[in-house]
């Protein structure tokens, strides 16, 4: 097939803004293309060489394209620069430059689709020393054989600026119209959603017909487009929407991964289908160890944890890993993550996406050992508003954003790539931002683990309740300590050690060591939340619950100028909670 035909179609598409017209033009054209070439046509139309989940290496620098145009056209650099300044778009620049060149010489071969496609692949694959010159040479060869119209689209594609305005869903429509009927578009869309590969769907529909598209299955190595959630503001509305009963799960605040597992290896994909395996080799390894079968596709959320307190950390902690090629091992040690699995789309050759949720969940739980690093999302099937609200509070206490409600009805399939009411998130704001430091009293300590073996891993901190003359716990403090302070704490606290909780300390937690309330530390937290575990301001905001400081950090200041009874009071913390809640609108 000649590239010219494709360029002509692109011109026509570009001149239209209506999706319907674009669909018709594309559909008419797709019918004329042989099935083996169709994937290339589809990828190029999207300004790509491969499906979405391959790293897109197109994006040659404008400067290199400009120099290549000089080489290929013989037009002077200044002249091209002038056009570039005026036009801005590399495609239009190329078109103008190659129009001024005399038409193809006798010796130039007409460009075929394969030649352009393979040429572009080679250009993107050249890497390392001398690769710029090679890229330019390869591109110059294509451009010198191109017509002005062809040069326009080659230049756009190679710089990553195709921008034809053809959305993936327009290609889906066009494939249905070209090879089946408009009514079949949902089947084509489903095939795209479970494979993320329009080229593959195109080849199947072209060579085997719509029935084969209907029979396409999820496959290891081809990531599914992620299923997304709607949002509703109350347990009542959620339960009504989901038929009175649903699976409620902790909504973890981390990084979503889709793990494709075989005996040969594991690949982790992000929600945007990028390969995350390099960033989370520890997660891949842990999944491999915990997996009991031969092959599977599962989904979960990676959440950073504090080794010493066992608490879940804000997901930003994971970002310390990003872009780290060197020192990734240190980052893994410093910012360990757990993965909470929540779905299973494929197992032992069987596509589970059309099975109801609880069945998929059962498959998931049967497939993995529960280990330290590999967990299942905390889940309860509930049909009662109060029970949902209580579970929501537990989720917040455990460092989660709220709950995910999932339909458990017969039609609760895994709907790849779309947002719908089969999953509903519940994230009411019960947290408030904390901008002031507080002074808290050390009432207990937990033994350290890992790098902190031999010193305290975290301290149990309390506020002072003036009215009752008690100390009420408010957080576990493990961050913000340098090595020197960590080493200093045990001897400093030695003289306050007790064999049982101090009678004035009110705690539901049981630390490894108890202290007489004495030492005061300055602490800054991220926010104050409702907590059924901590006892500060117990039952003041919510019956049976206290307040907690999330993500507390020692500021470095030991308040030896303050006695324990001069620490921040429980009433002050309650006031801070109420004040801060207002500023974010409750
Ligand atoms: P949102 O990004 O607010 O639309 O919420 C959807 C995201 O929540 C998903 O993409 C997951 O990354 C994340 N998530 C956390 N916990 C769960 C869970 N138990 N089930 C599904 N998604 C979850």
């Amino acid at each position: 097939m000649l590239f010219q035909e494709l360029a002509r179609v692109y011109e026509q598409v570009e001149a239209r803004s209506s999706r319907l017209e674009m669909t018709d033009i594309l559909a008419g054209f797709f019918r004329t293309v042989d099935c083996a070439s169709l994937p290339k046509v589809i990828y190029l139309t999207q300004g790509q060489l491969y499906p979405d989940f391959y790293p897109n290496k197109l994006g040659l620098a404008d400067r290199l394209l400009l120099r290549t145009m000089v080489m290929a056209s013989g037009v002077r650099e200044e002249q091209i620069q002038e056009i570039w300044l005026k036009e801005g778009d590399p495609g239009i620049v190329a078109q103008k430059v190659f129009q001024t060149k005399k038409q193809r010489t006798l010796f130039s071969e007409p460009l075929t689709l394969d030649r352009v496609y393979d040429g572009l692949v080679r250009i993107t694959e050249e890497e390392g020393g001398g690769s710029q010159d090679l890229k330019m040479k390869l591109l110059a060869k294509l451009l010198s054989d191109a017509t002005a119209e062809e040069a326009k689209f080659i230049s756009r594609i190679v710089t990553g600026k195709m921008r034809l305005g053809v959305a993936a869903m327009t290609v889906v429509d066009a494939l249905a119209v070209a090879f089946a009927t408009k009514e079949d578009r949902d089947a084509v869309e489903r095939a795209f959603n479970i494979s993320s590969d329009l080229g593959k769907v195109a080849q199947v529909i072209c060579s085997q017909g719509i029935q084969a598209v209907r029979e396409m299955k999820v496959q290891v190595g081809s990531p599914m487009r992620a299923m997304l959630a709607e949002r509703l503001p109350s347990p009542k509305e959620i339960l009504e929407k989901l038929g009175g009963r649903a699976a409620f799960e902790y909504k973890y605040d981390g990084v979503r991964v889709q793990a494709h597992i075989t005996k040969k290896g594991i690949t982790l994909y992000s929600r945007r289908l990028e390969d995350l395996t390099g960033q989370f080799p520890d997660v891949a390894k842990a999944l491999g160890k915990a997996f009991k079968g031969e092959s599977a596709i599962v989904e979960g959320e990676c959440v950073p944890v504090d080794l010493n307190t066992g608490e879940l950390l804000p997901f930003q902690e994971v970002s310390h890993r990003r872009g780290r090629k060197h020192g990734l091992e240190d980052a893994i040690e410093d910012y360990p993550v757990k993965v909470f699995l929540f779905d299973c789309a494929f197992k032992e050759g069987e596509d589970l996406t059309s099975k109801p949720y609880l069945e998929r969940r059962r498959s998931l739980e049967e497939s993995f050992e529960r280990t330290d690093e590999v967990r299942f999302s905390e889940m309860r099937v509930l049909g009662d508003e109060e029970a949902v609200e209580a579970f929501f509070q537990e989720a917040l206490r455990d460092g989660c954003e709220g709950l995910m409600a999932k339909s458990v009805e017969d039609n609760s399939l895994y709907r790849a790539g779309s947002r719908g009411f089969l999953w509903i998130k519940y994230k009411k704001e019960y947290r408030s931002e904390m901008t002031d430091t507080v002074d808290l009293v050390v009432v207990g300590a937990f033994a350290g683990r890992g790098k902190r073996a031999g010193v305290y891993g975290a301290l149990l901190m309390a506020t002072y309740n003036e009215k009752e003359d008690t100390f009420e716990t408010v957080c576990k403090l493990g961050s913000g300590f340098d090595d020197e302070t960590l080493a200093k704490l045990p001897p400093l606290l030695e003289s306050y050690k007790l064999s049982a909780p101090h009678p004035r300390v009110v705690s539901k937690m049981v630390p490894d060591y108890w202290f007489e309330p004495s030492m005061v530390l300055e602490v800054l937290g991220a926010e104050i939340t409702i907590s059924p575990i901590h006892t500060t301001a117990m039952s003041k905001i919510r019956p049976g619950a206290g307040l907690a400081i999330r993500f507390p950090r020692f500021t470095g200041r030991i308040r030896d100028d303050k006695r324990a009874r001069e620490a921040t009071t429980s009433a002050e913390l309650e006031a801070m909670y109420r004040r801060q809640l207002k500023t974010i609108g409750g």
Side-chain angles (χ1 to χ4, degrees):
M1 190 188 133
L2 292 179
F3 187 66
Q4 207 168 31
E5 295 172 52
L6 192 56
R8 224 164 268 155
V9 170
Y10 289 162
E11 283 288 359
Q12 290 173 27
V13 167
E14 200 179 28
R16 308 290 196 288
S17 56
S18 128
R19 183 170 162 186
L20 264 178
E21 281 181 290
M22 283 186 191
T23 307
D24 284 342
I25 296 169
L26 289 174
F29 177 62
F30 289 168
R31 266 190 230 113
T32 68
V33 179
D34 66 285
C35 297
S37 301
L38 196 54
K40 292 180 187 174
V41 167
I42 303 269
Y43 299 137
L44 290 178
T45 305
Q46 306 262 269
Q48 296 169 195
L49 295 174
Y50 301 109
D52 292 340
F53 53 92
Y54 275 60
N56 185 357
K57 294 190 192 156
L58 289 168
L60 190 82
D62 289 353
R63 175 180 46 82
L64 289 189
L65 175 62
L66 188 140
R67 280 167 53 199
T68 313
M69 284 188 201
V70 175
M71 265 162 75
S73 67
V75 179
R76 279 184 309 114
E77 183 164 343
E78 298 75 46
Q79 209 179 330
I80 301 183
Q81 242 160 0
E82 209 172 289
I83 306 176
W84 207 304
L85 268 178
K86 216 165 109 210
E87 301 293 345
D89 169 350
I92 304 290
V93 179
Q95 193 174 22
K96 297 217 154 147
V97 168
F98 288 90
Q99 252 155 15
T100 62
K101 179 189 89 159
K102 53 184 177 346
Q103 280 313 301
R104 291 176 201 232
T105 61
L106 269 183
F107 306 106
S108 64
E109 292 170 47
L111 288 176
T112 59
L113 168 71
D114 287 342
R115 213 185 125 201
V116 173
Y117 183 87
D118 296 346
L120 289 169
V121 167
R122 281 192 62 195
I123 290 169
T124 57
E125 280 173 1
E126 288 298 343
E127 268 167 18
S131 64
Q132 288 203 352
D133 285 344
L134 273 169
K135 279 177 194 280
M136 281 166 53
K137 262 191 205 142
L138 289 164
L139 182 58
K141 187 80 190 72
L142 287 181
L143 288 179
S144 56
D145 284 348
T147 61
E149 200 176 52
E150 288 170 331
K152 169 177 169 183
F153 291 104
I154 292 173
S155 300
R156 280 195 185 158
I157 295 170
V158 81
T159 49
K161 293 175 182 154
M162 181 59 161
R163 296 181 197 146
L164 264 193
V166 178
M169 289 308 157
T170 307
V171 177
V172 164
D173 292 350
L175 286 173
V177 171
F179 301 105
T181 66
K182 267 206 179 107
E183 286 64 50
D184 294 310
R185 81 159 302 285
D186 286 353
V188 180
E189 182 183 337
R190 176 197 157 269
F192 169 52
N193 285 336
I194 60 162
S195 66
S196 310
D197 189 345
L198 275 175
K200 185 163 144 192
V201 178
Q203 190 161 25
V204 171
I205 198 169
C206 177
S207 57
Q208 299 168 55
I210 184 71
Q211 192 50 34
V213 167
R214 288 188 198 284
E215 285 162 15
M216 274 176 71
K217 292 187 167 34
V218 283
Q219 255 183 13
V220 175
S222 202
M224 312 170 291
R225 282 155 46 82
M227 178 163 177
L228 303 172
E230 286 287 351
R231 177 203 285 260
L232 282 176
S234 71
K236 183 166 183 282
E237 281 159 275
I238 292 174
L239 285 169
E240 271 167 15
K241 194 86 187 175
L242 295 178
R245 185 172 156 270
F248 287 85
E249 290 178 21
Y250 276 15
K251 183 174 190 305
Y252 299 90
D253 187 8
V255 176
R256 181 169 183 168
V257 293
Q258 188 183 121
H260 287 234
I261 308 176
T262 62
K263 282 279 163 220
K264 282 199 216 114
I266 295 182
T267 309
L268 305 177
Y269 294 99
S270 73
R271 176 165 160 166
R272 297 176 53 200
L273 311 181
E274 299 135 333
D275 188 336
L276 283 182
T277 325
Q279 217 181 95
F280 295 108
D282 47 337
V283 172
K285 203 161 139 206
L287 282 171
K289 251 187 161 161
F291 185 54
K292 295 192 275 193
E294 295 287 322
S295 64
I297 300 175
V298 296
E299 273 198 305
E301 189 90 350
C302 289
V303 191
V305 278
D306 184 323
L307 262 187
N308 285 293
T309 61
E311 281 171 358
L312 301 180
L313 294 173
F315 97 99
Q316 286 88 329
E317 295 292 330
V318 183
S319 63
H320 293 289
R321 288 187 176 196
R322 237 169 243 147
R324 280 219 200 185
K325 288 225 171 71
H326 311 291
L328 182 67
E329 274 176 26
D330 283 349
I332 289 173
E333 211 173 296
D334 293 345
Y335 308 99
V337 304
K338 282 191 205 294
V339 59
F340 293 89
L341 298 175
F342 55 73
D343 215 314
C344 179
F346 177 90
K347 192 185 155 186
E348 312 304 349
E350 195 190 353
D351 184 335
L352 303 179
T353 52
S354 45
K355 303 269 186 228
Y357 177 54
L358 291 181
E359 210 172 301
R360 301 201 303 278
R361 174 84 188 196
R362 207 172 313 123
S363 284
L364 179 71
E365 291 181 16
E366 282 165 8
S367 308
F368 290 85
E369 218 76 73
R370 185 180 183 279
T371 65
D372 227 17
E373 298 90 8
V374 178
R375 303 293 174 92
F376 303 109
S377 61
E378 207 61 50
M379 181 191 81
R380 270 180 222 165
V381 177
L382 301 171
D384 170 81
E385 282 169 46
E386 266 175 36
V388 173
E389 194 56 40
F391 193 41
F392 175 69
Q393 297 304 329
E394 280 181 45
L396 293 190
R397 175 202 71 195
D398 288 343
C400 294
E401 282 186 302
L403 296 177
M404 270 295 210
K406 299 183 179 177
S407 167
V408 293
E409 303 201 309
D410 288 348
N411 66 353
S412 56
L413 57 148
Y414 186 95
R415 194 170 284 152
S418 69
R419 206 175 274 288
F421 282 97
L422 291 177
W423 284 9
I424 304 173
K425 56 191 169 188
Y426 178 43
K427 296 210 294 192
K428 203 159 54 175
E429 280 299 347
Y430 265 133
R431 315 176 187 177
S432 63
E433 238 168 72
M434 202 173 157
T435 45
D436 286 347
T437 58
V438 284
D439 299 319
L440 304 176
V441 189
V442 184
V443 296
F446 298 85
R449 290 177 50 188
K451 281 186 180 168
R452 292 208 181 158
V455 293
Y456 298 137
L459 303 176
L460 183 59
M461 308 301 291
T463 52
Y464 177 57
N465 183 331
E466 271 177 312
K467 233 167 124 198
E468 307 290 332
D469 186 30
T470 51
F471 294 89
E472 301 176 326
T473 74
V474 70
C475 65
K476 271 163 106 177
L477 177 65
S479 298
F481 295 103
D482 57 23
D483 291 345
E484 199 187 323
T485 313
L486 280 175
K488 213 165 70 179
L489 282 173
L492 274 178
L493 285 162
E494 190 57 35
S495 56
Y496 305 112
K497 234 183 212 169
L498 302 171
S499 53
H502 187 275
R504 306 244 54 84
V505 169
V506 185
S507 177
K508 291 192 190 174
M509 276 194 177
V510 183
D512 298 315
Y513 310 98
W514 291 106
F515 303 114
E516 182 185 333
S518 175
M519 183 187 274
V520 178
L521 303 181
E522 189 180 73
V523 171
L524 183 63
E527 54 195 20
I528 306 173
T529 66
I530 304 242
S531 161
I533 276 281
H534 286 289
T535 54
T536 294
M538 178 54 81
S539 298
K540 294 286 190 209
I541 309 274
R542 172 171 292 272
L547 291 177
I549 294 173
R550 289 190 70 208
F551 313 133
R553 273 188 93 74
F554 175 48
T555 63
R557 188 158 172 219
I558 300 183
R559 297 298 307 253
D560 36 21
D561 55 327
K562 280 199 172 184
R563 281 188 293 240
R565 286 184 171 75
E566 292 166 66
T568 300
T569 64
S570 305
E572 279 174 302
L573 205 81
E574 183 191 332
M576 281 171 85
Y577 174 81
R578 291 185 193 279
R579 207 164 50 232
Q580 290 161 7
L581 199 59
K582 259 190 234 138
T583 64
I584 55 164

